[in-house]
């Protein structure tokens, strides 16, 4: 299965990823598939680093410079989600990515709200083979009850497929 996935990425297959796919693989360091542990970083543009706590939630805002992107069509300028904010800055997403949505951690958490930094929650990028990649750190099960999250997912899938 790993060989098929790697071949798909190498040939330029379109990809969309949600939340925990930043850390979809967790092989032991001596395992032959340990190189797959970096799939989230290498393909989607971010590894799992940390989050602001399971009790927090996120306010999502459209980045003004990205508001015309087709993935954002039909989304409000701001909406709230249950997902606790994943911390990806300052190293991710990598150069060449287009950040679409920015998240702001709110509520109880592992550090005071005033010390929490905004982080991208949706972006696009291209693989070395030129394929479109859409990724979002949103995707808590409760998020999908929200129309903006469903719209984001649908638009993102259409975009990666060029539809």
């Amino acid at each position: 299965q790993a060989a098929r996935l790697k071949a798909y990425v190498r040939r330029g297959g379109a990809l969309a990823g949600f939340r925990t796919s930043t850390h979809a693989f967790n092989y032991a360091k001596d395992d032959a598939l340990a190189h797959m542990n970096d799939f989230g970083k290498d393909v989607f543009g971010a590894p799992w680093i940390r989050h602001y706590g399971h009790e927090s939630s996120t306010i999502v805002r459209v980045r003004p410079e990205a508001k015309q992107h087709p993935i954002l069509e039909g989304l409000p300028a701001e909406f709230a989600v249950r997902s606790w904010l994943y911390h990806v800055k300052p190293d991710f997403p990598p150069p060449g990515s287009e950040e679409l949505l920015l998240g702001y951690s709110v509520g109880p958490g592992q550090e005071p709200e005033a010390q929490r930094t905004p982080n991208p929650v949706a972006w696009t990028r291209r693989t070395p083979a030129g394929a479109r990649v859409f990724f979002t750190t949103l995707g808590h099960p409760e998020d999908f009850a929200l129309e903006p999250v469903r719209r984001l997912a649908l638009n993102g899938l259409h975009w990666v497929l060029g539809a």
Side-chain angles (χ1 to χ4, degrees):
Q1 290 175 331
R4 283 192 214 105
L5 181 57
K6 288 177 5 186
Y8 180 80
V9 171
R10 272 195 310 273
R11 77 170 188 260
L15 293 156
F18 295 83
R19 197 155 180 80
T20 56
S21 50
T22 59
H23 51 294
F25 302 101
N26 187 23
Y27 291 100
K29 290 179 184 180
D30 61 343
D31 192 290
L33 293 173
H35 64 281
M36 294 297 291
N37 294 348
D38 287 332
F39 189 83
K41 177 182 68 129
D42 295 343
V43 176
F44 291 129
W48 189 86
I49 300 170
R50 67 183 176 95
H51 57 68
Y52 288 105
H54 293 190
E55 300 303 316
S56 65
S57 59
T58 302
I59 300 295
V60 177
R61 294 188 183 129
V62 170
R63 292 182 60 93
E65 61 273 20
K67 68 182 179 180
Q68 299 303 316
H69 197 287
I71 290 177
L72 302 178
E73 185 177 333
L75 266 69
E78 179 177 305
F79 56 98
V81 296
R82 177 61 190 97
S83 284
W84 42 88
L85 183 62
Y86 277 18
H87 182 88
V88 298
K89 285 295 184 187
D91 298 325
F92 302 97
S97 301
E98 183 176 5
E99 297 177 16
L100 305 175
L101 298 172
L102 203 55
Y104 299 81
S105 179
V106 295
Q110 297 171 342
E111 58 192 75
E113 282 185 53
Q115 294 177 7
R116 301 179 203 171
T117 57
N119 275 269
V121 296
W123 60 83
T124 62
R125 63 188 307 254
R126 298 277 182 159
T127 65
R132 289 180 173 195
V133 175
F134 163 71
F135 189 81
T136 181
T137 60
L138 304 180
H140 183 284
E142 291 177 30
D143 292 351
F144 289 101
L146 305 170
E147 196 281 330
V149 175
R150 293 190 310 267
R151 171 65 47 200
L152 175 69
L154 183 62
N155 290 351
L157 292 170
H158 281 179
W159 182 83
V160 297
L161 296 173

